Amino acid sequence: MKNSKKRIAILIVLALVYGLAIGGTIAYLTAQSGDVTNTFTVGAIEIELHEHDDGTSTGDVVEEREGIKVIPGATVAKDPFVTVIEGSEKCYVYVKVVNNLVVGDENVSELTLGEGWSVVATSDDDGVVTTLYVYDEVVDAADDDVVLDPVFTAVTIDGDVSSEGLEDLDGATIVVTAYAHQSENTDSDTADDAALAWAGLDD
């Protein structure tokens, strides 16, 4: 009888010790941090293309010029310029110029390239000359609008154009369009390829 009581007492003690051991394995110290939320915004690029109504910086800013007189040998001031709008991301800027001043199948004009611009590619389709230009510097993101130098500053008409040829130039146009491509995580070759495709000069 004594042995039975002693055996029961030992089992109870073992059970308590075992229970304490289990309790010791699950009583971890724990903690949890608060959330850290990352909110993303979408970057964007916005550009505008204008020129002055007299082809110089003294004129009024316009989006289109009409009624430009064409005289053999004359030089007409023109200054199409791109503005990268406030808040835009860093970018490469391109301009496509489609020059339709054609007599027969020959272009009879020459553009005076503005400072800070280079030719990427050009094509001549029966006198219609399409040229893609790139601004030489990456345009940084800015707190204000960034106005670039004009892509060209003048158009000179061939002095040998006849009066009959002038008739071909009546209503002829030079069409200027601007394009911008992000520069972050993009090299200039990739941007050039995209601009060439946009301009239709990637063949």
Side-chain angles (χ1 to χ4, degrees):
M1 191 71 174
K2 286 182 179 179
N3 286 339
S4 294
K5 288 182 179 179
K6 189 175 182 181
R7 196 175 298 151
I8 290 171
I10 290 171
L11 289 173
I12 291 172
V13 170
L14 288 174
L16 289 172
V17 170
Y18 182 68
L20 289 172
I22 293 174
T25 61
I26 62 173
Y28 296 113
L29 294 175
T30 62
Q32 179 174 314
S33 73
D35 293 336
V36 175
T37 302
N38 293 277
T39 302
F40 293 84
T41 59
V42 178
I45 300 171
E46 184 180 356
I47 58 175
E48 293 179 351
L49 179 67
H50 297 97
E51 64 178 295
H52 294 93
D53 61 0
D54 63 354
T56 73
S57 59
T58 61
D60 294 328
V61 175
V62 295
E63 294 182 1
E64 183 176 337
R65 284 178 68 189
E66 296 180 342
I68 300 172
K69 291 183 180 179
V70 178
I71 301 172
T75 296
V76 179
K78 282 184 67 65
D79 66 338
F81 61 90
V82 178
T83 302
V84 180
I85 302 302
E86 171 188 353
S88 294
E89 302 298 325
K90 291 176 63 174
C91 60
Y92 301 101
V93 176
Y94 300 84
V95 169
K96 178 176 73 170
V97 177
V98 181
N99 183 342
N100 296 287
L101 299 181
V102 178
V103 174
D105 59 356
E106 182 180 354
N107 198 289
V108 294
S109 66
E110 182 178 348
L111 306 184
T112 302
L113 186 63
E115 292 185 10
W117 292 90
S118 299
V119 175
V120 178
T122 189
S123 72
D124 187 328
D125 183 10
D126 294 328
V128 177
V129 177
T130 301
T131 306
L132 179 67
Y133 301 94
V134 62
Y135 196 63
D136 293 335
E137 298 180 5
V138 171
V139 180
D140 287 330
D143 295 332
D144 296 308
D145 293 351
V146 180
V147 180
L148 307 186
D149 295 320
V151 63
F152 60 91
T153 58
V155 181
T156 301
I157 306 301
D158 189 336
D160 294 329
V161 177
S162 65
S163 57
E164 292 81 7
L166 288 177
E167 294 178 3
D168 290 346
L169 297 178
D170 187 29
T173 61
I174 294 178
V175 180
V176 184
T177 316
Y179 169 85
H181 191 288
Q182 74 178 64
S183 62
E184 290 289 347
N185 306 313
T186 305
D187 59 33
S188 59
D189 289 339
T190 300
D192 283 357
D193 289 344
L196 286 165
W198 163 79
L201 293 172
D202 55 342
D203 295 333

